[in-house]
């Protein structure tokens, strides 16, 4: 099963569950507050997923390491390498 | 120290180059030093695609300095792309492990001993460097590039659930037969190629270990993969999403 199929499968499952509960005959037996929560459920889910994504990407962005030290170390090593290679007769 | 030698392990480093005259001697020097310190058996295969800046000439000097058993030159007449450069290099590799890295100094050889340790620790088929975990990170990226990178990585993780944190990086160690198998299967180009390698590896049941790396953006030379990167990345991602 491809990843696309997996997604469609889960979405279809959730969708049918929601439809039968919120729109189907079953839903009428539920207490009114329940029905009111259930109706806009897909919209809630969408907003929650959006918020989660933004928060996750934002957090990872803020904690993305800046490798200052690695860059400096590399500069030092480049000097060392040039000297040694020059001594070994490399013509740059 | 010579545990790798005793077990007959040999590491072949594939270095594809295009206009890396400045960087090539430095990366080779760092590689040789790193391998000598760790005592591993190694060879460096340089695949130059007819660089107009004379990279090949520098490569020949390096071959003289370090010996033709350590530095193997496998040039091609013209620029034929990275994917085929790896295949070409792999055909000449005599090691049982292959390390793929960029020659532009953004991948530091000091991480290779860590890759090797990691591989032995979990007997992994692949060890992938990651910029997105632990002490990993980048240097020289502006905010825009970081946003794109983090965003693209998040979308990829959600859609593909690949079980590895850095899909577009190309600093990795492979068992030779695993790389051969993956090369046969993978058809994408550019960044998507690296991504496809990991996705297919998972499909085939190969194990993947990860080592945090610091990625220092190239100091010398021009960036070659430009243009419609993002569009082709998204296309490739969706293709993998729909087909794997
Ligand atoms: N043999 C060969 N090497 C290539 C070719 N294109 C790129 N390379 C090399 O592959 C490595 C990665 O390419 P880069 O140009 O650094 O790509 P990048 O890291 O995505 O982009 P920048 O670092 O931002 O320039 C470098 O060592 C290049 O010299 C090619 O067509 N043939
Ligand atoms: Mg690069």
């Amino acid at each position: 099963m491809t990843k696309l199929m997996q997604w469609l499968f889960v979405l279809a499952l959730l969708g049918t569950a929601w439809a039968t509960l919120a729109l189907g005959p079953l839903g009428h037996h539920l207490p009114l507050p329940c029905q009111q929560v259930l109706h806009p459920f897909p919209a809630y889910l969408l907003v929650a997923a959006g918020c989660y994504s933004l928060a996750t990407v934002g957090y990872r962005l803020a904690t993305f390491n800046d490798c200052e030290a690695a860059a400096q170390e590399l500069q030092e090593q480049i000097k060392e390498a040039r000297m040694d290679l020059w001594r070994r007769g490399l013509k740059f | 120290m010579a545990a790798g030698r005793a077990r007959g392990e040999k590491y072949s480093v594939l270095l594809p180059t295009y206009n890396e005259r400045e960087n090539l001697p430095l990366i080779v020097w760092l590689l040789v030093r790193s391998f000598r310190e760790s005592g591993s058996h190694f060879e460096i295969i340089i695949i130059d695609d007819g660089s107009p800046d004379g990279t090949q000439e520098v490569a020949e000097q390096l071959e003289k300095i370090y010996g033709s058993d350590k530095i193997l030159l496998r040039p091609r007449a013209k620029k034929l792309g990275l994917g085929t450069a790896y295949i070409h290099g792999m055909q000449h590799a005599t090691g049982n492990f292959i390390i793929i890295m960029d020659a532009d100094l953004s991948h530091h050889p000091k991480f290779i001993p860590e890759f090797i340790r990691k591989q032995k620790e979990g007997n992994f088929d692949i060890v992938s460097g990651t910029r997105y975990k632990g002490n990993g990170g980048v240097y020289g990226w502006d905010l825009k590039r970081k946003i794109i990178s983090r965003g693209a990585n998040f979308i990829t993780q959600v859609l593909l659930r690949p079980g590895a944190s850095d899909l577009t990086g190309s600093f990795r160690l492979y068992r030779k037969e695993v790389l051969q198998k993956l090369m046969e299967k993978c058809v994408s180009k550019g960044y998507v190629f690296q991504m496809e390698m990991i996705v297919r590896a998972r499909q085939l049941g190969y194990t993947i270990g990860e080592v945090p790396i610091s990625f220092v953006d190239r100091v010398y030379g021009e960036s070659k993969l430009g243009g419609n990167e993002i569009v082709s990345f998204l296309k490739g991602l969706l293709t993998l999403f729909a087909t794997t």
Side-chain angles (χ1 to χ4, degrees), chain B residues 6-151:
Chain B
R7 276 198 257 170
E9 263 138 31
K10 182 172 179 183
Y11 300 90
S12 302
V13 179
L14 302 189
L15 278 185
T17 59
Y18 190 74
N19 286 347
E20 304 287 4
R21 188 190 170 87
E22 293 275 350
N23 292 316
L24 185 62
L26 304 173
I27 188 81
V28 166
W29 188 86
L30 287 167
L31 275 166
V32 171
R33 188 169 77 164
S34 171
F35 276 115
R36 295 229 163 113
E37 276 173 8
S38 71
S40 309
H41 205 25
F42 74 99
E43 67 186 1
I44 300 168
I45 301 174
I46 299 170
I47 307 114
D48 185 61
D49 274 3
S51 305
D53 77 341
T55 306
Q56 182 60 17
E57 190 266 321
V58 174
E60 281 158 16
Q61 290 189 51
L62 290 165
E63 183 192 25
K64 283 207 189 75
I65 292 175
Y66 290 108
S68 52
D69 57 327
K70 290 284 176 274
I71 311 287
L72 284 69
L73 308 186
R74 297 293 178 267
R76 300 188 296 177
K78 62 175 198 292
K79 192 170 185 341
L80 297 169
L82 261 182
T84 55
Y86 293 138
I87 296 171
H88 180 76
M90 191 173 60
Q91 283 161 355
H92 300 280
T94 62
N96 49 339
F97 287 98
I98 296 195
I99 293 161
I100 285 183
M101 65 193 295
D102 292 354
D104 61 0
L105 295 176
S106 46
H107 297 154
H108 199 295
K110 72 183 172 191
F111 294 110
I112 291 176
E114 292 179 41
F115 280 36
I116 293 174
R117 213 173 307 131
K118 188 79 189 177
Q119 191 283 322
K120 287 187 177 142
E121 186 186 302
N123 197 24
F124 293 111
D125 296 311
I126 301 169
V127 175
S128 174
T130 176
R131 296 162 288 184
Y132 303 114
K133 248 192 187 171
N135 291 326
V138 295
Y139 176 81
W141 283 13
D142 58 7
L143 186 65
K144 186 180 148 202
R145 185 143 184 211
K146 282 184 182 170
I147 292 175
I148 292 172
S149 164
R150 274 303 193 187

Side-chain angles (χ1 to χ4, degrees), chain A residues 16-90:
Chain A
T16 0
W18 174 78
T20 35
L21 281 177
L23 311 171
L26 224 90
H28 297 298
H29 303 296
L30 291 171
L32 200 64
C34 263
Q35 291 188 28
Q36 279 167 346
V37 173
L38 217 53
H39 246 268
F41 194 69
Y44 289 155
L45 211 63
L46 211 67
V47 172
C51 287
Y52 171 76
S53 307
L54 278 181
T56 309
V57 172
Y59 175 75
R60 290 182 182 169
L61 196 63
T63 54
F64 211 169
N65 282 333
D66 261 314
C67 304
E68 202 83 44
Q72 240 156 42
E73 182 196 51
L74 181 64
Q75 285 309 320
E76 294 300 315
Q77 290 173 339
I78 286 176
K79 276 187 216 136
E80 204 183 327
R82 279 182 184 285
M83 292 245 279
D84 187 53
L85 284 164
W86 179 78
R87 241 182 284 130
R88 288 166 190 259
L90 183 90

Side-chain angles (χ1 to χ4, degrees), chain B residues 183-198:
Chain B
M183 288 288 190
E184 284 166 24
K185 297 242 167 195
C186 293
V187 290
S188 321
K189 296 255 179 298
Y191 287 126
V192 184
F193 176 75
Q194 304 297 345
M195 197 152 84
E196 187 178 4
M197 297 274 272
I198 294 290

